[in-house]
Amino acid sequence: MNWSLIDPGVIRRWLICESSHRWLTAVRRFGPEMIPSRFVLKLDSANQDEILTRAARLEPCVILWEARSETLAATFHALAHTAAVNSEVLQIVACHQLSCRERLYLSPLPVAAMVNQPEELPRLTRMIHVHFARWTQILD
Amino acid sequence: MASGISIRPFARSLDKSGASVWAISATGNLIYLSSGCSDWFGFDSALLLDRRSVAGAPVSSDKLDLIAAALAAPADLATRGTASLRITPPSLDQHRPEAREVRFIRIGNGSTALTLATAGNFDDRLPEPELHDAIALRQQLDSWRRSHESTAINLTAGTSSEAVRLRRRIEVAASTRTDVGLFGPAGSGGESILIRIHGLSAPDENLINIDGPLMDSDLLDATLMPAVHQLADNSEATATALIRDLDEMPFETQQHLAGLLDSYSGRLRLLATGGSQLLELNAPTDDLISETLSLDTHNAKGLCKQLIDVISSLTIVIRPLARRVEDIPLIATAMLDSRRAAGEGSAERINRAALDALVQYPWPFNHDELDNAIRHAIQNASGNVIACEHLPLAVRSYRPGTSLQHNKTSKISLDNAIQRYELRLINETLEMADGNRAEAARRLGISRARLIRRLDDASNRESSGKESD
């Protein structure tokens, strides 16, 4: 899609940081229904370093992090850093591979929602609507 | 680290590691305890040496004997060779030892046999995440079956509000003998629900199956004749007509049917499915669907007023499967169970990749299509797990996003898009021409005046946009 042809005011962005493409496919399927129909979903896959580098300059968007036991510390750092430098980003964690104890460690972090499986994404529709509604003036 | 063929270097290494390891002789006495055991118990573990450690054997009231007995291997270790146990040793004083996972292994045979045990944190008994999910899904399904034993139809499985509403409506319909209208999209399995409702609410009553679109008044009379005779002859007799696609039945036939229902009021019951429209005559007030229904427009809905009055007593709406995404894994597993119970295939569960594919597919033909996909997968799966490659091609090759994305973009103004694209080209060319407008106009193949006009227009649009904000 040629994004330069689309009015930037109607673009709503999701960034997916994961090791495979499972969540990217899931957001591609459910994401368009999770934003108001007058907007267009822009979906990007990004690695953690890339997001951390650009975190302060990111426009209001949703970031979905896939958390894994072996890289948990790095994910914690990324979550905390992103929230600290940019309050306009909504962070969701896909925590299917985490144990109960590891999920508890996520509690104090600025995580808006945790999802286990792709079918749980539509439950977040209202939250995503509210998030983008809050930042609509900035985006427009 | 020291090494050697005598036991001393090994024992020293064990003590150094801090691991809690002990050994039990063939006679059942503790013959070795590592120093890590002392840290675990909170006292010198040497006090336990030579004490009996046999499961189920009589024990004195001496606390040390009780602790030694707690370290015993399970009784069936001799036959199995290895065993796992979670042990919390009794406390001797203030110190309360924590519970630890223990692995036992039996070495040798007969009077020379030896049992080795080590305590620690092991995760080998935890199922792999994939299996863990399958177990959780199975437990959810079992719980649903227990809670809704009578109305457990596969398509009512799930935890979404749609599933809960559907189950409650079906329970109400099954608890009383009343007329029911069931509306849902193509392939939503409404007929099976109505048959179940009939079986529960009036199991001994005659059920007459009628295909709505094929009926005219004469054919309807002929089909209902045996039941009508029965109703006329016996004032106690009752009958039920199950009509498929009531909203596609010719209007005159609908009026004729309404007349029959009126003649045998209460004794001839109507169970009807409708598919072309989603309507819910007595929906909750906050339901958007109910707002679309008006009795004034009943003709447009394909139903005559008298029949709307009849099915108004209870209507059930089945939503498209794509609106019950979170229920799909449970429904698919329930369908798999049903087919397995009927002797089809050997598959016991659906793996996560296949479930993901099922969740992402939009299911235009709803439950029937899902059921067909599961049947197809069962036939293709050779083992006990259904994987992605066993699913129908349409499901496993579905790539979401393109059509929806296209729909979204089609709402965008073409004029605005062209203006933005034009402006971007002009700006890029101006940049390449170092801001020289005449050169940029030449490169773009337009006049300088036209280029300036375009830039002015863009500037005006931008300023008017800011003012309106």
Side-chain angles (χ1 to χ4, degrees):
Chain A
M1 180 179 288
N2 190 346
W3 290 98
S4 62
L5 295 178
I6 296 173
D7 178 2
V10 299
I11 296 174
R12 295 294 180 265
R13 195 166 185 209
W14 281 64
L15 287 170
I16 315 292
C17 180
E18 63 174 336
S19 56
S20 64
H21 57 271
R22 185 186 188 211
W23 290 97
L24 190 73
T25 312
V27 176
R28 194 168 284 146
R29 164 73 175 85
F30 302 115
E33 293 159 32
M34 293 170 72
I35 57 173
S37 56
R38 64 184 183 278
F39 297 121
V40 181
L41 173 73
K42 187 178 184 192
L43 191 55
D44 288 318
S45 186
N47 65 41
Q48 199 163 296
D49 294 338
E50 208 178 319
I51 294 176
L52 286 178
T53 314
R54 294 162 48 199
R57 287 174 285 121
L58 282 174
E59 73 274 32
C61 67
V62 176
I63 302 181
L64 193 151
W65 304 92
E66 181 198 42
R68 301 164 68 195
S69 299
E70 54 269 34
T71 55
L72 204 54
T75 307
F76 286 175
H77 169 251
L79 281 164
H81 175 79
T82 308
V85 300
N86 192 337
S87 60
E88 297 163 14
V89 171
L90 186 84
Q91 301 191 87
I92 298 170
V93 177
C95 56
H96 172 238
Q97 298 178 31
L98 300 187
S99 66
C100 288
R101 183 176 290 189
E102 287 166 339
R103 283 173 208 206
L104 277 177
Y105 295 153
L106 280 168
S107 312
L109 291 165
V111 176
M114 287 189 250
V115 285
N116 289 309
Q117 309 292 358
E119 61 265 25
E120 293 171 22
L121 276 177
R123 286 186 197 167
L124 309 182
T125 302
R126 195 180 135 71
M127 189 179 75
I128 305 291
H129 274 233
V130 171
H131 171 70
F132 281 126
R134 187 181 292 164
W135 301 110
T136 290
Q137 282 187 332
I138 293 175
L139 288 163
D140 290 348
Chain B
M1 189 176 282
S3 59
I5 55 169
S6 73
I7 197 70
R8 273 175 195 276
F10 177 59
R12 271 201 295 273
S13 300
L14 273 182
D15 285 344
K16 215 172 177 178
S17 72
S20 305
V21 179
W22 64 96
I24 304 167
S25 69
T27 55
N29 292 335
L30 284 164
I31 55 171
Y32 171 77
L33 292 112
S34 69
S35 61
C37 292
S38 303
D39 298 334
W40 184 23
F41 305 149
F43 63 87
D44 183 5
S45 59
L47 295 170
L48 298 175
L49 285 172
D50 291 327
R51 291 182 188 267
R52 295 267 301 158
S53 183
V54 178
V59 192
S60 75
S61 57
D62 184 345
K63 277 195 172 177
L64 289 170
D65 281 344
L66 288 170
I67 295 170
L71 301 178
D76 60 349
L77 181 70
T79 53
R80 291 168 56 191
T82 62
S84 305
L85 205 60
R86 191 169 176 83
I87 291 179
T88 312
S91 57
L92 187 65
D93 44 35
Q94 299 289 331
H95 177 78
R96 288 186 177 279
E98 62 183 357
R100 285 186 185 176
E101 285 290 326
V102 177
R103 299 289 179 269
F104 293 92
I105 181 165
R106 191 170 170 87
I107 302 167
N109 294 306
S111 60
T112 57
L114 186 70
T115 301
L116 291 178
T118 180
N121 292 317
F122 308 104
D123 64 358
D124 56 334
R125 289 178 75 190
L126 296 172
E128 55 179 291
E130 170 102 22
L131 211 53
H132 191 266
D133 288 345
I135 292 167
L137 206 58
R138 181 71 51 193
Q139 284 169 345
Q140 224 176 337
L141 201 58
D142 290 344
S143 159
W144 164 72
R145 284 208 182 96
R146 273 197 304 275
S147 312
H148 308 280
E149 204 172 340
S150 57
T151 55
I153 308 163
N154 289 341
L155 59 91
T156 66
T159 53
S160 69
S161 58
E162 304 291 349
V164 173
R165 278 187 189 187
L166 183 59
R167 282 199 297 267
R168 291 194 172 172
R169 289 262 167 134
I170 291 172
E171 278 164 11
V172 170
S175 64
T176 176
R177 186 186 171 280
T178 184
D179 303 302
V180 180
L182 195 147
F183 297 89
S188 55
E191 200 178 330
S192 63
I193 291 181
L194 289 180
I195 290 171
R196 178 66 69 95
I197 288 171
H198 176 72
L200 290 166
S201 58
D204 301 326
E205 194 170 294
N206 275 343
L207 181 72
I208 304 130
N209 278 291
I210 297 167
D211 205 333
L214 301 181
M215 288 291 134
D216 58 25
S217 298
D218 294 341
L219 194 55
L220 182 69
D221 276 340
T223 311
L224 285 175
M225 192 171 28
V228 168
H229 278 308
Q230 198 183 9
L231 292 169
D233 293 345
N234 182 356
S235 61
E236 299 290 312
T238 54
T240 297
L242 195 160
I243 301 184
R244 282 184 295 277
D245 301 324
L246 182 68
D247 50 345
E248 289 177 31
M249 184 185 250
F251 205 68
E252 295 73 28
T253 318
Q254 285 186 28
Q255 286 174 322
H256 187 66
L257 174 68
L260 286 171
L261 289 165
D262 191 43
S263 305
Y264 301 102
S265 178
R267 292 199 293 136
L268 178 59
R269 175 170 70 152
L270 174 66
L271 299 179
T273 67
S276 59
Q277 301 275 352
L278 276 181
L279 65 146
E280 193 167 10
L281 303 176
N282 49 355
T285 51
D286 63 340
D287 195 319
L288 289 174
I289 297 296
S290 64
E291 291 175 12
T292 64
L293 180 80
S294 160
L295 286 177
D296 298 334
T297 59
H298 56 269
N299 283 336
K301 300 281 180 191
L303 290 175
C304 75
K305 184 181 180 303
Q306 295 91 326
L307 284 185
I308 288 184
D309 292 344
V310 170
I311 58 171
S312 286
S313 57
L314 183 60
T315 56
I316 300 171
V317 170
I318 304 175
R319 310 285 175 189
L321 194 55
R323 283 184 60 182
R324 291 178 56 194
V325 172
E326 58 187 293
D327 297 334
I328 289 176
L330 214 56
I331 296 173
T333 309
M335 286 172 170
L336 173 66
D337 278 7
S338 303
R339 292 195 171 274
R340 191 172 149 74
E344 287 183 40
S346 58
E348 291 172 354
R349 67 181 176 90
I350 307 167
N351 76 11
R352 193 58 236 185
L355 282 177
D356 280 359
L358 294 178
V359 163
Q360 278 153 17
Y361 188 68
W363 302 110
F365 296 102
N366 296 291
H367 302 85
D368 287 355
E369 192 179 7
L370 176 59
D371 197 29
N372 285 337
I374 298 297
R375 190 188 59 200
H376 181 278
I378 290 171
Q379 285 167 354
N380 284 339
S382 51
N384 61 354
V385 180
I386 289 178
C388 221
E389 61 266 26
H390 302 135
L391 296 172
L393 182 65
V395 178
R396 66 174 191 263
S397 62
Y398 176 74
R399 296 289 173 268
T402 47
S403 59
L404 283 166
Q405 200 71 274
H406 188 264
N407 286 343
K408 299 261 184 189
T409 57
S410 65
K411 293 176 186 170
I412 290 160
S413 159
L414 178 66
D415 289 341
N416 289 343
I418 291 169
Q419 280 168 358
R420 271 196 305 280
Y421 185 63
E422 191 180 50
L423 185 63
R424 190 160 65 85
L425 271 181
I426 291 173
N427 284 334
E428 282 173 5
T429 315
L430 271 171
E431 208 169 307
M432 283 189 286
D434 293 328
N436 185 330
R437 293 181 174 187
E439 173 62 13
R442 195 184 59 77
R443 290 186 186 189
L444 287 166
I446 56 174
S447 68
R448 183 172 173 274
R450 187 174 166 193
L451 184 135
I452 290 170
R453 205 164 48 242
R454 288 284 182 271
L455 287 171
D456 286 346
D457 287 349
S459 171
N460 290 339
R461 275 199 306 273
E462 201 173 319
S463 57
S464 64
K466 277 180 185 166
E467 277 167 22
S468 66
D469 282 349

